[in-house]
Amino acid sequence: MDTLGTVRDEDFLRLDHQICFSLHAATRAFNGVYRTALKDLGLTYPQYLVMLVLWEHGELPVKRIGEHLRLDSGTLSPLLKRLEAAGYVERRRSPEDERSVTARPTPAGAELRERAIGVPRRIAAATGMPLEEIRELRARLNDLTAALNLAETGAGAGAGAGAGAGASAGGCVTEE
Amino acid sequence: MDTLGTVRDEDFLRLDHQICFSLHAATRAFNGVYRTALKDLGLTYPQYLVMLVLWEHGELPVKRIGEHLRLDSGTLSPLLKRLEAAGYVERRRSPEDERSVTARPTPAGAELRERAIGVPRRIAAATGMPLEEIRELRARLNDLTAALNLAETGAGAGAGAGAGAGASAGGCVTEE
DNA sequence: CACTATTCAGTTGCGCACAACTTAATTGTG
DNA sequence: CACAATTAAGTTGTGCGCAACTGAATAGTG
């Protein structure tokens, strides 16, 4: 098996190109498929992610939505404003903490879920992958994300094994 | 093994949430790590991708860069303008086809490669993955991207096996 | 040759992502 | 209680990604 030490920097530049670009391209390909699938619903893909969270949890403070999706208020505030303008979401200041704003689906937003419920199946079909493989890939990506987030927030080079990768995933993605 | 037919739509909504979000999150985590790694060089991650292509191929028309990275002129034109403003890239109209504009690294851009050559190793270390696993993941993502692009550009539901997925990847990513 | 169709780069407009900042409310401490 | 530190949302500015469009150059057709 290759180790980091046996590969020349030159080769790394090429491999780097490939892995990071693959991820980049896969995400944009996913976005493209979602874009068409969500066009009828009038949702963008990030808006859809927010609605998935709200459908699952009901009313949530912006902060909590951000924790589920790893997004900050700079992204969520205008996004929620647009969802509110579209009539899918209601926002209001929390009575017990005036700093906090909670969002929840309106009746129209709840109804939207019925229309969105066929979307994931179409996406899964578009991947042409069996569910088992999709799950496997998901697990791999979660490990990767956890390792990268870990590496970025100070922890050493983290060069060793992939151990501990799964640990820091807690609280990130909505776990199953 | 699961097939698409044995899973309820409800469960799909949750799984969908997870796989597409995992990809989304992994890409942003990658972006974050690159952002810090590229800060010294004054490059963003997409600018780095363009420089990788130019370092490898020398002078290229905007069109070709876009084919390598799956980006259109709407994204590349302003990006190349910024790279030009930074002094890393030269642009000029092609003499034999006045519609075409070619870009190539300036001396400063070529010199930048020497400073960038350590970046991929740091990224690889941050993933905490052995190279074999990275390659495996990359292959999986390329299949996924190919299938999604295929599904989007007309071809039927593409629900069947993953067969043929690798085919349409030709011409997309810079192959090894 | 004239004239349409295509190709390529660039621009505009919109939404997302993120850093940096502002404002307001709450918490903690002397 | 007063006052600093923290927390939550929102705002601003920059860059990417993409759809839709413009304008110029080339290719193709009668």
Side-chain angles (χ1 to χ4, degrees):
Chain A
M1 177 180 98
D2 284 329
T3 65
L4 295 186
T6 62
V7 183
R8 288 177 310 127
D9 279 329
E10 293 286 332
D11 297 328
F12 255 116
L13 262 189
R14 283 195 55 74
L15 179 64
D16 176 52
H17 179 150
Q18 292 162 8
I19 172 61
C20 67
F21 174 73
S22 296
L23 203 58
H24 202 65
T27 296
R28 285 185 293 131
F30 246 112
N31 277 337
V33 174
Y34 272 104
R35 202 190 321 280
T36 58
L38 294 173
K39 187 178 279 181
D40 296 346
L41 310 184
L43 291 179
T44 66
Y45 176 56
Q47 287 167 6
Y48 171 70
L49 288 177
V50 169
M51 291 308 295
L52 282 175
V53 170
L54 291 181
W55 285 328
E56 188 172 348
H57 293 91
E59 188 159 16
L60 272 186
V62 174
K63 188 81 195 308
R64 295 274 163 276
I65 300 175
E67 284 167 7
H68 281 293
L69 299 177
R70 279 263 183 278
L71 293 171
D72 65 6
S73 68
T75 299
L76 286 174
S77 288
L79 190 156
L80 287 168
K81 225 181 229 175
R82 281 185 285 270
L83 283 177
E84 191 174 38
Y88 294 142
V89 152
E90 275 174 0
R91 288 188 306 160
R92 61 169 194 202
R93 289 269 155 202
S94 164
E96 57 268 18
D97 186 342
E98 288 283 335
R99 291 172 303 179
S100 177
V101 167
T102 60
R104 62 175 173 185
T106 60
E111 183 193 342
L112 190 66
R113 184 174 189 275
E114 307 309 314
R115 297 205 288 141
I117 207 153
V119 169
R121 189 178 296 270
R122 259 179 286 163
I123 305 297
T127 65
M129 279 189 180
L131 280 190
E132 238 359 277
E133 203 168 332
I134 294 178
R135 287 208 183 89
E136 162 69 17
L137 182 59
R138 178 175 71 84
R140 212 54 81 80
L141 287 172
N142 284 347
D143 289 349
L144 184 60
T145 303
L148 290 174
N149 286 331
L150 205 82
E152 207 185 3
T153 54
S168 72
C172 166
V173 187
T174 303
E175 302 292 343
E176 50 190 337
Chain B
M1 173 180 98
D2 283 328
T3 66
L4 296 186
T6 62
V7 183
R8 289 177 308 126
D9 279 329
E10 292 287 331
D11 296 328
F12 255 115
L13 262 188
R14 282 195 58 75
L15 180 63
D16 176 54
H17 179 149
Q18 292 163 7
I19 172 61
C20 67
F21 174 74
S22 295
L23 205 57
H24 202 68
T27 296
R28 283 185 294 132
F30 247 111
N31 278 336
V33 173
Y34 272 104
R35 202 189 321 280
T36 56
L38 294 172
K39 187 178 276 181
D40 295 346
L41 310 184
L43 292 179
T44 66
Y45 176 56
Q47 287 167 8
Y48 171 70
L49 288 178
V50 169
M51 291 308 295
L52 282 176
V53 170
L54 291 181
W55 285 329
E56 189 172 348
H57 293 90
E59 188 160 17
L60 272 186
V62 174
K63 187 78 195 309
R64 296 274 162 278
I65 300 175
E67 284 168 7
H68 281 294
L69 299 177
R70 279 263 184 275
L71 294 171
D72 65 6
S73 68
T75 299
L76 286 174
S77 287
L79 191 157
L80 286 168
K81 224 180 229 176
R82 282 186 285 270
L83 283 178
E84 191 174 38
Y88 294 141
V89 153
E90 274 174 1
R91 287 189 305 162
R92 62 169 191 200
R93 289 269 156 198
S94 164
E96 58 268 14
D97 186 343
E98 287 284 335
R99 291 171 303 180
S100 177
V101 168
T102 61
R104 63 176 173 185
T106 60
E111 185 193 343
L112 190 65
R113 183 175 190 275
E114 307 310 313
R115 296 206 287 141
I117 208 150
V119 169
R121 189 177 296 271
R122 259 178 287 163
I123 304 297
T127 65
M129 280 190 180
L131 279 191
E132 240 358 277
E133 204 168 333
I134 293 179
R135 286 207 184 90
E136 162 70 16
L137 182 60
R138 176 174 72 84
R140 213 54 80 80
L141 289 171
N142 285 347
D143 289 350
L144 184 60
T145 303
L148 291 174
N149 286 332
L150 205 82
E152 206 186 1
T153 55
S168 75
C172 166
V173 187
T174 302
E175 303 291 342
E176 50 192 334

